[in-house]
């Protein structure tokens, strides 16, 4: 199972060209949603756009 864990204030997740783009003060990561089974938000201060949530739903990934 492939899991993406989001933590830390200021982490932003958006979609672009069918990929999830995760941005933080540490840099940027692009992930294909087809590789994910689960995205876990473990702290406050994380933001997800509605298009990123829809992209995860289309690929059947759980958002916890």
């Amino acid at each position: 199972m492939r899991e993406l864990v989001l933590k830390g204030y200021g982490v932003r997740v958006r979609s672009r060209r069918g990929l999830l783009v995760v941005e933080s003060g540490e840099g940027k990561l692009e992930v294909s949603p087809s590789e994910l089974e689960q995205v876990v938000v473990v702290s406050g201060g994380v933001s997800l756009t509605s298009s990123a949530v829809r992209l995860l739903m289309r690929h059947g990934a759980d958002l916890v």
Side-chain angles (χ1 to χ4, degrees), residues 19-38:
L19 296 175
L20 284 179
V21 180
V22 181
E23 297 175 306
S24 71
E26 298 176 8
K28 181 169 79 170
L29 172 69
E30 293 184 351
V31 180
S32 173
S34 62
E35 296 177 7
L36 296 174
E37 290 185 24
Q38 191 174 54

Side-chain angles (χ1 to χ4, degrees), residues 1-2 20 32-39 52-64:
M1 171 165 94
R2 178 92 193 262
L20 284 179
S32 173
S34 62
E35 296 177 7
L36 296 174
E37 290 185 24
Q38 191 174 54
V39 176
V53 173
R54 285 193 306 269
L55 184 62
L56 288 168
M57 287 173 40
R58 277 198 302 268
H59 288 273
D62 296 327
L63 179 58
V64 181

Side-chain angles (χ1 to χ4, degrees), residues 39-60:
V39 176
V40 181
V41 180
V42 295
S43 68
V46 175
S47 65
L48 288 93
T49 64
S50 58
S51 61
V53 173
R54 285 193 306 269
L55 184 62
L56 288 168
M57 287 173 40
R58 277 198 302 268
H59 288 273

